[in-house]
Coordinates of all heavy atoms in Angstrom, one line a residue:
M1354 N 0.8 -1.2 0.0 CA 0.0 0.0 0.0 C 0.9 1.3 0.0 O 1.8 1.4 0.8 CB -0.9 0.0 1.2 CG -1.9 1.1 1.3 SD -2.9 1.0 2.7 CE -4.5 1.5 2.1
T1355 N 0.6 2.2 -0.9 CA 1.4 3.4 -1.0 C 0.5 4.6 -0.6 O -0.6 4.7 -1.0 CB 1.9 3.6 -2.4 OG1 2.6 2.5 -2.8 CG2 2.8 4.8 -2.5
F1356 N 1.1 5.4 0.3 CA 0.4 6.6 0.7 C 0.9 7.8 -0.1 O 2.1 7.8 -0.5 CB 0.6 6.8 2.2 CG -0.1 5.8 3.0 CD1 0.7 4.7 3.5 CD2 -1.4 5.8 3.3 CE1 0.1 3.7 4.3 CE2 -2.0 4.8 4.1 CZ -1.2 3.8 4.6
E1357 N 0.1 8.8 -0.2 CA 0.5 10.0 -1.0 C 1.7 10.6 -0.4 O 2.6 11.1 -1.1 CB -0.6 11.0 -1.0 CG -1.4 11.0 -2.3 CD -2.4 12.1 -2.4 OE1 -2.1 13.2 -2.2 OE2 -3.6 11.7 -2.6
F1358 N 1.9 10.6 0.9 CA 3.0 11.3 1.5 C 4.3 10.6 1.4 O 5.3 11.0 1.8 CB 2.7 11.7 3.0 CG 2.3 10.5 3.9 CD1 3.2 9.5 4.3 CD2 1.0 10.4 4.3 CE1 2.8 8.5 5.0 CE2 0.6 9.3 5.1 CZ 1.5 8.4 5.4
D1359 N 4.3 9.4 0.8 CA 5.5 8.6 0.5 C 6.2 9.2 -0.8 O 7.3 8.9 -1.0 CB 5.2 7.2 0.2 CG 4.9 6.5 1.5 OD1 5.3 7.0 2.6 OD2 4.2 5.4 1.5
A1360 N 5.5 10.0 -1.6 CA 6.1 10.5 -2.8 C 7.2 11.5 -2.4 O 7.1 12.2 -1.4 CB 5.0 11.2 -3.6
P1361 N 8.2 11.6 -3.3 CA 9.3 12.6 -3.0 C 8.7 14.0 -2.9 O 7.8 14.4 -3.7 CB 10.2 12.5 -4.2 CG 9.7 11.3 -5.1 CD 8.4 10.9 -4.5
Q1362 N 9.2 14.7 -2.0 CA 8.6 16.1 -1.7 C 9.6 17.1 -2.2 O 10.8 16.9 -2.1 CB 8.4 16.3 -0.2 CG 7.5 15.2 0.4 CD 6.3 15.9 1.0 OE1 6.4 17.0 1.5 NE2 5.2 15.2 0.9
E1363 N 9.0 18.2 -2.8 CA 9.9 19.3 -3.2 C 10.4 20.0 -2.0 O 9.6 20.5 -1.1 CB 9.0 20.3 -4.1 CG 9.8 21.4 -4.7 CD 10.7 20.9 -5.8 OE1 10.3 20.2 -6.7 OE2 11.9 21.2 -5.7
Q1364 N 11.7 20.1 -1.8 CA 12.3 20.7 -0.6 C 12.5 22.2 -0.7 O 12.3 22.9 0.2 CB 13.6 20.0 -0.3 CG 13.5 18.5 0.1 CD 12.6 18.3 1.3 OE1 12.8 18.9 2.3 NE2 11.8 17.3 1.2
A1365 N 12.8 22.6 -1.9 CA 13.1 24.1 -2.1 C 11.8 24.8 -2.3 O 10.9 24.4 -3.0 CB 14.0 24.3 -3.2
T1366 N 11.6 26.0 -1.6 CA 10.4 26.7 -1.7 C 10.6 28.0 -2.5 O 9.6 28.7 -2.8 CB 9.8 27.1 -0.4 OG1 10.8 27.8 0.4 CG2 9.5 25.8 0.4
N1367 N 11.8 28.4 -2.8 CA 12.1 29.6 -3.5 C 13.1 29.4 -4.6 O 14.1 30.1 -4.7 CB 12.6 30.6 -2.5 CG 12.3 32.1 -2.9 OD1 11.8 32.3 -4.0 ND2 12.8 33.0 -2.2
L1368 N 12.8 28.5 -5.5 CA 13.8 28.2 -6.6 C 14.0 29.3 -7.6 O 15.0 29.3 -8.2 CB 13.2 26.9 -7.3 CG 13.2 25.6 -6.5 CD1 12.5 24.5 -7.3 CD2 14.6 25.2 -6.2
A1369 N 13.1 30.2 -7.6 CA 13.3 31.3 -8.6 C 14.3 32.3 -8.2 O 14.8 33.1 -9.1 CB 11.9 32.0 -8.8
V1370 N 14.8 32.3 -7.0 CA 15.8 33.3 -6.6 C 17.1 33.0 -7.2 O 17.6 31.9 -7.1 CB 15.9 33.3 -5.0 CG1 17.0 34.2 -4.6 CG2 14.6 33.8 -4.4
N1371 N 17.7 34.0 -7.8 CA 19.0 33.9 -8.4 C 20.0 34.3 -7.3 O 20.1 35.4 -6.9 CB 19.1 34.8 -9.6 CG 20.5 34.8 -10.2 OD1 21.4 34.0 -9.8 ND2 20.7 35.7 -11.2
R1372 N 20.8 33.3 -6.8 CA 21.7 33.6 -5.8 C 23.1 33.8 -6.3 O 24.1 33.8 -5.5 CB 21.7 32.4 -4.8 CG 20.3 32.1 -4.2 CD 20.4 31.1 -3.1 NE 20.9 31.8 -1.9 CZ 20.2 32.5 -1.0 NH1 18.9 32.6 -1.2 NH2 20.7 33.0 0.0
S1373 N 23.3 34.0 -7.6 CA 24.6 34.1 -8.2 C 25.1 35.6 -8.2 O 26.2 35.8 -8.5 CB 24.6 33.6 -9.6 OG 23.7 34.4 -10.4
C1374 N 24.3 36.5 -7.8 CA 24.7 37.9 -7.7 C 25.7 38.1 -6.6 O 25.4 37.9 -5.4 CB 23.5 38.9 -7.6 SG 24.0 40.6 -7.5
A1375 N 26.9 38.6 -7.0 CA 28.0 38.7 -6.0 C 27.7 39.9 -5.1 O 28.3 40.0 -4.0 CB 29.3 38.9 -6.7
T1376 N 26.9 40.9 -5.5 CA 26.6 42.1 -4.8 C 25.7 41.9 -3.6 O 25.9 42.3 -2.5 CB 26.1 43.2 -5.7 OG1 27.1 43.4 -6.8 CG2 25.9 44.5 -5.0
C1377 N 24.6 41.1 -3.9 CA 23.5 41.0 -2.9 C 23.3 39.5 -2.5 O 22.4 39.3 -1.7 CB 22.2 41.6 -3.4 SG 21.5 40.7 -4.7
S1378 N 23.9 38.6 -3.1 CA 23.7 37.1 -2.9 C 22.3 36.7 -3.0 O 21.8 35.8 -2.4 CB 24.2 36.8 -1.4 OG 25.5 37.2 -1.3
G1379 N 21.6 37.3 -3.9 CA 20.2 36.9 -4.2 C 19.1 37.7 -3.4 O 18.0 37.4 -3.6
D1380 N 19.6 38.6 -2.5 CA 18.6 39.3 -1.7 C 17.8 40.4 -2.5 O 16.7 40.8 -2.2 CB 19.3 40.1 -0.6 CG 19.8 39.1 0.5 OD1 19.4 38.0 0.5 OD2 20.7 39.5 1.2
R1381 N 18.4 40.8 -3.7 CA 17.8 41.8 -4.6 C 17.8 43.2 -4.0 O 17.5 44.2 -4.7 CB 16.3 41.4 -4.9 CG 16.2 40.1 -5.6 CD 16.4 40.3 -7.1 NE 16.0 39.1 -7.8 CZ 16.2 39.0 -9.1 NH1 16.6 40.0 -9.8 NH2 15.9 37.8 -9.7
F1382 N 18.1 43.3 -2.7 CA 18.2 44.6 -2.1 C 19.4 44.7 -1.2 O 19.9 43.7 -0.7 CB 16.9 45.0 -1.2 CG 15.7 45.3 -2.0 CD1 14.9 44.3 -2.6 CD2 15.4 46.7 -2.2 CE1 13.8 44.7 -3.3 CE2 14.3 47.0 -2.9 CZ 13.5 46.0 -3.5
V1383 N 20.0 45.9 -1.1 CA 21.2 46.0 -0.3 C 21.0 47.1 0.7 O 20.2 48.0 0.6 CB 22.4 46.4 -1.2 CG1 22.8 45.2 -2.1 CG2 22.1 47.7 -2.0
L1384 N 21.8 47.1 1.8 CA 21.7 48.1 2.8 C 22.3 49.4 2.3 O 23.4 49.5 1.8 CB 22.5 47.7 4.1 CG 22.5 48.6 5.3 CD1 21.1 48.8 5.8 CD2 23.4 48.1 6.3
Y1385 N 21.5 50.5 2.3 CA 21.9 51.7 1.8 C 22.3 52.7 2.8 O 23.3 53.5 2.7 CB 20.8 52.3 0.9 CG 21.1 53.6 0.3 CD1 21.9 53.7 -0.8 CD2 20.5 54.8 0.7 CE1 22.2 54.9 -1.4 CE2 20.8 56.0 0.1 CZ 21.6 56.1 -0.9 OH 21.9 57.3 -1.5
A1386 N 21.6 52.8 4.0 CA 21.9 53.7 5.0 C 21.2 53.3 6.3 O 20.3 52.4 6.3 CB 21.4 55.1 4.6
T1387 N 21.6 53.8 7.4 CA 20.9 53.6 8.7 C 20.6 55.0 9.3 O 21.3 55.9 9.1 CB 21.7 52.8 9.7 OG1 22.9 53.5 9.9 CG2 21.9 51.4 9.2
R1388 N 19.5 55.1 9.9 CA 19.1 56.3 10.6 C 18.3 56.0 11.8 O 17.8 54.9 12.0 CB 18.2 57.2 9.6 CG 16.9 56.6 9.2 CD 16.2 57.5 8.3 NE 15.2 56.7 7.5 CZ 14.0 56.3 8.0 NH1 13.6 56.7 9.2 NH2 13.2 55.6 7.2
T1389 N 18.2 57.0 12.7 CA 17.5 56.8 14.0 C 16.2 57.6 13.9 O 16.2 58.8 13.6 CB 18.3 57.3 15.2 OG1 19.5 56.6 15.2 CG2 17.6 57.1 16.5
D1390 N 15.1 56.9 14.0 CA 13.7 57.5 14.0 C 13.2 57.6 15.4 O 13.5 56.7 16.3 CB 12.8 56.6 13.2 CG 12.6 57.0 11.8 OD1 13.3 58.0 11.4 OD2 11.8 56.5 11.1
T1391 N 12.5 58.6 15.7 CA 11.9 58.8 17.1 C 10.4 59.0 16.9 O 10.0 59.7 16.0 CB 12.5 60.0 17.8 OG1 13.9 59.9 17.8 CG2 12.0 60.1 19.2
Y1392 N 9.7 58.2 17.6 CA 8.2 58.2 17.5 C 7.7 58.0 18.9 O 8.0 57.0 19.6 CB 7.7 57.1 16.6 CG 6.2 57.1 16.4 CD1 5.7 58.1 15.6 CD2 5.4 56.2 17.0 CE1 4.3 58.2 15.4 CE2 4.0 56.2 16.8 CZ 3.5 57.2 16.0 OH 2.1 57.2 15.8
N1393 N 6.9 58.9 19.4 CA 6.3 58.9 20.7 C 7.3 58.7 21.8 O 7.1 57.9 22.8 CB 5.2 57.8 20.8 CG 3.9 58.2 20.2 OD1 3.7 59.3 19.9 ND2 3.0 57.2 20.1
G1394 N 8.4 59.3 21.7 CA 9.5 59.3 22.7 C 10.4 58.0 22.6 O 11.3 57.9 23.4
H1395 N 10.1 57.1 21.7 CA 10.9 55.9 21.5 C 11.8 56.1 20.3 O 11.3 56.6 19.3 CB 10.1 54.7 21.4 CG 9.2 54.4 22.6 ND1 9.7 53.8 23.8 CD2 7.9 54.7 22.8 CE1 8.7 53.8 24.6 NE2 7.6 54.3 24.1
S1396 N 13.0 55.7 20.4 CA 13.8 55.8 19.2 C 14.3 54.4 18.8 O 14.5 53.6 19.6 CB 15.0 56.8 19.4 OG 15.8 56.3 20.4
A1397 N 14.5 54.3 17.5 CA 15.0 53.0 17.0 C 15.8 53.2 15.8 O 15.6 54.2 15.0 CB 13.8 52.1 16.7
E1398 N 16.8 52.3 15.6 CA 17.6 52.4 14.4 C 16.9 51.8 13.2 O 16.4 50.6 13.4 CB 19.0 51.8 14.6 CG 19.9 52.0 13.4 CD 21.4 51.9 13.8 OE1 21.7 52.7 14.7 OE2 22.1 51.1 13.3
V1399 N 16.8 52.5 12.1 CA 16.1 52.0 10.9 C 17.1 51.8 9.8 O 17.9 52.6 9.6 CB 15.0 53.0 10.5 CG1 14.3 52.5 9.2 CG2 14.0 53.3 11.6
E1400 N 17.0 50.6 9.2 CA 17.9 50.3 8.0 C 17.1 50.7 6.7 O 16.0 50.3 6.5 CB 18.2 48.8 8.0 CG 19.1 48.4 9.2 CD 19.4 46.9 9.1 OE1 18.7 46.1 8.4 OE2 20.5 46.5 9.7
E1401 N 17.8 51.5 5.9 CA 17.2 51.8 4.6 C 17.8 50.9 3.6 O 19.0 50.8 3.4 CB 17.5 53.3 4.3 CG 16.8 54.2 5.2 CD 17.1 55.7 4.9 OE1 17.7 56.0 3.8 OE2 16.6 56.6 5.6
L1402 N 16.9 50.2 2.8 CA 17.4 49.3 1.8 C 17.2 49.9 0.4 O 16.2 50.7 0.3 CB 16.7 48.0 1.9 CG 16.8 47.2 3.2 CD1 16.0 45.9 3.2 CD2 18.3 46.9 3.5
A1403 N 18.0 49.6 -0.5 CA 17.8 50.1 -1.9 C 17.9 48.9 -2.8 O 18.6 47.9 -2.5 CB 18.9 51.1 -2.2
P1404 N 17.3 48.9 -4.0 CA 17.4 47.8 -5.0 C 18.9 47.6 -5.3 O 19.7 48.5 -5.5 CB 16.6 48.3 -6.2 CG 15.7 49.3 -5.7 CD 16.4 50.0 -4.5
C1405 N 19.3 46.3 -5.5 CA 20.6 46.0 -5.8 C 20.9 46.6 -7.2 O 20.2 46.4 -8.2 CB 20.8 44.5 -5.9 SG 22.4 43.9 -6.5
P1406 N 22.0 47.4 -7.3 CA 22.3 48.0 -8.6 C 22.8 47.0 -9.7 O 22.8 47.4 -10.9 CB 23.5 49.0 -8.2 CG 24.1 48.4 -7.0 CD 23.0 47.7 -6.3
D1407 N 23.1 45.8 -9.3 CA 23.6 44.9 -10.3 C 22.5 43.9 -10.8 O 22.6 43.5 -12.0 CB 24.8 44.0 -9.7 CG 26.0 44.9 -9.5 OD1 26.2 45.8 -10.3 OD2 26.7 44.7 -8.5
C1408 N 21.5 43.6 -10.0 CA 20.5 42.6 -10.5 C 19.1 43.1 -10.4 O 18.2 42.4 -10.8 CB 20.7 41.3 -9.8 SG 20.2 41.3 -8.1
N1409 N 18.9 44.3 -9.8 CA 17.5 44.7 -9.6 C 17.3 46.2 -9.8 O 16.4 46.8 -9.2 CB 17.1 44.3 -8.1 CG 15.6 44.2 -7.9 OD1 14.9 44.0 -8.8 ND2 15.2 44.3 -6.7
A1410 N 18.1 46.7 -10.6 CA 18.1 48.2 -10.8 C 16.8 48.7 -11.4 O 16.4 49.8 -11.2 CB 19.3 48.6 -11.7
G1411 N 16.1 47.9 -12.2 CA 14.9 48.3 -12.9 C 13.6 48.2 -12.1 O 12.6 48.5 -12.6
V1412 N 13.7 47.7 -10.9 CA 12.5 47.5 -10.1 C 11.8 48.8 -9.8 O 12.5 49.8 -9.5 CB 12.8 46.6 -8.8 CG1 13.5 47.5 -7.8 CG2 11.5 46.2 -8.2
K1413 N 10.5 48.8 -9.8 CA 9.7 50.0 -9.5 C 9.5 50.1 -8.0 O 8.7 49.3 -7.5 CB 8.4 50.1 -10.3 CG 7.7 51.3 -10.1 CD 6.4 51.3 -10.9 CE 5.6 52.6 -10.6 NZ 4.3 52.4 -10.1
T1414 N 10.1 51.0 -7.3 CA 9.9 51.2 -5.9 C 9.2 52.5 -5.5 O 8.9 52.7 -4.4 CB 11.2 51.1 -5.1 OG1 12.1 52.1 -5.7 CG2 11.8 49.7 -5.3
Q1415 N 8.8 53.3 -6.5 CA 8.2 54.6 -6.3 C 6.8 54.4 -5.7 O 6.1 53.5 -6.1 CB 8.2 55.4 -7.6 CG 7.4 56.7 -7.4 CD 7.4 57.4 -8.8 OE1 8.4 57.6 -9.4 NE2 6.2 57.8 -9.2
F1416 N 6.5 55.2 -4.7 CA 5.1 55.2 -4.2 C 4.8 56.6 -3.7 O 5.6 57.4 -3.4 CB 4.9 54.2 -3.1 CG 5.7 54.4 -1.8 CD1 5.2 55.3 -0.8 CD2 6.9 53.8 -1.6 CE1 5.9 55.5 0.3 CE2 7.6 54.0 -0.5 CZ 7.1 54.9 0.5
E1417 N 3.5 56.9 -3.7 CA 3.0 58.2 -3.3 C 2.7 58.2 -1.8 O 2.0 57.3 -1.3 CB 1.7 58.6 -4.0 CG 1.3 60.0 -3.7 CD 0.1 60.4 -4.6 OE1 -0.4 59.6 -5.3 OE2 -0.4 61.6 -4.4
R1418 N 3.3 59.2 -1.1 CA 3.0 59.3 0.4 C 1.6 59.9 0.6 O 1.1 60.6 -0.3 CB 4.1 60.2 1.0 CG 5.5 59.6 0.9 CD 6.5 60.4 1.7 NE 7.8 59.9 1.6 CZ 8.8 60.4 0.9 NH1 8.5 61.5 0.1 NH2 10.0 59.9 0.9
P1419 N 1.1 59.8 1.8 CA -0.2 60.4 2.1 C -0.3 61.9 1.8 O -1.3 62.4 1.5 CB -0.5 60.0 3.5 CG 0.3 58.8 3.8 CD 1.5 58.9 2.9
N1420 N 0.9 62.5 2.0 CA 0.9 64.0 1.8 C 1.0 64.4 0.3 O 1.2 65.6 0.0 CB 2.0 64.7 2.7 CG 3.4 64.3 2.2 OD1 3.6 63.7 1.2 ND2 4.4 64.7 3.0
G1421 N 1.0 63.4 -0.6 CA 1.1 63.7 -2.0 C 2.5 63.7 -2.6 O 2.7 63.8 -3.8
S1422 N 3.5 63.7 -1.7 CA 4.9 63.6 -2.3 C 5.2 62.2 -2.7 O 4.5 61.3 -2.3 CB 5.9 64.1 -1.2 OG 6.0 63.3 -0.1
Y1423 N 6.3 62.0 -3.4 CA 6.7 60.7 -3.9 C 8.0 60.2 -3.2 O 8.9 61.0 -3.1 CB 6.8 60.7 -5.4 CG 5.5 60.6 -6.1 CD1 4.9 61.8 -6.5 CD2 4.9 59.4 -6.4 CE1 3.7 61.8 -7.2 CE2 3.7 59.4 -7.1 CZ 3.1 60.5 -7.4 OH 1.9 60.5 -8.1
F1424 N 8.0 58.9 -2.9 CA 9.2 58.3 -2.5 C 9.9 57.7 -3.7 O 9.2 57.1 -4.5 CB 9.0 57.2 -1.5 CG 10.2 56.3 -1.3 CD1 11.1 56.6 -0.4 CD2 10.3 55.1 -2.0 CE1 12.3 55.9 -0.2 CE2 11.5 54.3 -1.9 CZ 12.4 54.7 -1.0
R1425 N 11.1 57.9 -3.9 CA 11.9 57.3 -5.0 C 13.2 56.7 -4.4 O 13.8 57.3 -3.6 CB 12.2 58.3 -6.1 CG 11.0 58.8 -6.8 CD 11.4 59.8 -7.9 NE 10.3 60.2 -8.7 CZ 9.5 61.2 -8.4 NH1 9.7 61.9 -7.3 NH2 8.4 61.5 -9.2
S1426 N 13.5 55.5 -4.9 CA 14.7 54.9 -4.5 C 15.9 55.7 -5.0 O 15.8 56.4 -6.0 CB 14.9 53.5 -5.1 OG 14.0 52.6 -4.5
P1427 N 17.0 55.6 -4.3 CA 18.2 56.3 -4.8 C 18.7 55.8 -6.1 O 18.4 54.6 -6.5 CB 19.3 56.1 -3.7 CG 18.7 55.0 -2.9 CD 17.3 54.9 -3.1
D1428 N 19.3 56.6 -6.9 CA 19.9 56.2 -8.2 C 20.8 55.0 -8.0 O 21.6 55.0 -7.1 CB 20.6 57.4 -8.8 CG 21.1 57.2 -10.2 OD1 20.2 57.1 -11.1 OD2 22.3 57.0 -10.4
P1429 N 20.8 54.0 -8.9 CA 21.7 52.9 -8.8 C 23.1 53.3 -8.7 O 23.9 52.6 -8.0 CB 21.4 52.1 -10.1 CG 20.0 52.4 -10.5 CD 19.8 53.9 -10.1
A1430 N 23.6 54.4 -9.4 CA 25.0 54.8 -9.3 C 25.3 55.2 -7.9 O 26.4 55.0 -7.4 CB 25.2 55.9 -10.3
K1431 N 24.3 55.9 -7.2 CA 24.6 56.3 -5.8 C 24.6 55.1 -4.9 O 25.4 55.1 -3.9 CB 23.5 57.3 -5.3 CG 23.6 58.6 -5.9 CD 22.6 59.6 -5.3 CE 22.8 61.0 -5.8 NZ 21.7 61.9 -5.3
V1432 N 23.8 54.1 -5.2 CA 23.8 52.9 -4.3 C 25.2 52.2 -4.5 O 25.8 51.8 -3.5 CB 22.7 51.9 -4.8 CG1 22.8 50.6 -4.0 CG2 21.3 52.6 -4.6
R1433 N 25.6 52.1 -5.7 CA 26.9 51.5 -6.0 C 28.1 52.2 -5.3 O 29.0 51.6 -4.7 CB 27.2 51.4 -7.5 CG 28.3 50.4 -7.9 CD 28.5 50.5 -9.4 NE 27.3 50.3 -10.2 CZ 26.7 49.2 -10.4 NH1 27.3 48.1 -10.0 NH2 25.7 49.1 -11.2
E1434 N 28.0 53.5 -5.3 CA 29.0 54.3 -4.6 C 29.0 54.1 -3.1 O 30.1 53.9 -2.5 CB 28.7 55.8 -4.8 CG 29.7 56.8 -4.3 CD 29.2 58.2 -4.3 OE1 28.7 58.6 -5.4 OE2 29.4 58.9 -3.3
R1435 N 27.8 53.9 -2.5 CA 27.8 53.6 -1.0 C 28.4 52.2 -0.7 O 28.9 52.0 0.3 CB 26.3 53.6 -0.6 CG 25.7 55.0 -0.5 CD 25.8 55.6 0.8 NE 25.2 56.9 0.8 CZ 24.3 57.3 1.7 NH1 23.9 56.4 2.7 NH2 23.8 58.5 1.7
L1436 N 28.1 51.3 -1.6 CA 28.6 49.9 -1.4 C 30.1 49.8 -1.4 O 30.7 48.9 -0.8 CB 28.0 49.0 -2.5 CG 26.5 48.7 -2.5 CD1 26.1 47.9 -3.7 CD2 26.1 48.0 -1.2
T1437 N 30.8 50.7 -2.1 CA 32.2 50.6 -2.2 C 32.9 51.3 -1.0 O 34.1 51.2 -0.9 CB 32.7 51.2 -3.5 OG1 32.3 52.6 -3.6 CG2 32.2 50.5 -4.7
R1438 N 32.2 51.9 -0.1 CA 32.8 52.6 1.0 C 33.3 51.5 2.1 O 32.6 50.5 2.2 CB 31.8 53.5 1.7 CG 31.7 54.8 0.9 CD 30.8 55.8 1.6 NE 30.4 56.8 0.7 CZ 29.5 57.7 1.0 NH1 28.8 57.7 2.1 NH2 29.2 58.7 0.1
Ligands
ZN633 ZN1 22.1 41.7 -6.7

C-alpha cells in the first residue's frame, strides 16, 4: 500500500531566486543607510534598503506618500557608490 505522503517532496520553496549575484547574494536589495527614528518618545535604528544596482536596478519602488509627495529609490549609481565605502 502506497500513501501519498511517500512521494518525493519538493524541498526548495524559492527556486526562482538567483543567488549568483555577488553584490547581494540573491537578496535583490542592499543596505543603503541607517538612521534613527523617534516616535512617541521611543527611538529605533532603521535600516534603509535600496534595490541591488547589479541585478534589480529596474524594479519600480516609487510610491506616493499620504501628503502627495513621492518616495523614490536612490539612483543605482549612488547605491553602488555607497557599497564601495
Ligand atoms: Zn544583486
Side-chain angles (χ1 to χ4, degrees):
M1354 183 177 220
T1355 304
F1356 296 96
E1357 258 182 58
F1358 53 74
D1359 288 336
Q1362 302 239 327
E1363 187 68 53
Q1364 297 297 316
T1366 58
N1367 203 3
L1368 293 173
V1370 171
N1371 177 5
R1372 306 191 72 86
S1373 63
C1374 179
T1376 304
C1377 69
S1378 303
D1380 292 339
R1381 300 271 189 184
F1382 284 82
V1383 293
L1384 182 64
Y1385 180 73
T1387 57
R1388 62 183 159 81
T1389 302
D1390 264 3
T1391 304
Y1392 184 74
N1393 280 352
H1395 300 279
S1396 63
E1398 186 152 306
V1399 178
E1400 294 181 335
E1401 295 183 5
L1402 301 177
C1405 175
D1407 290 325
C1408 71
N1409 202 21
V1412 70
K1413 183 181 179 234
T1414 55
Q1415 175 180 310
F1416 64 87
E1417 184 177 4
R1418 296 186 181 102
N1420 67 8
S1422 67
Y1423 281 91
F1424 167 84
R1425 289 182 177 86
S1426 288
D1428 186 71
K1431 284 188 178 176
V1432 176
R1433 196 182 309 278
E1434 182 189 318
R1435 291 262 180 132
L1436 291 174
T1437 56
R1438 285 184 193 170

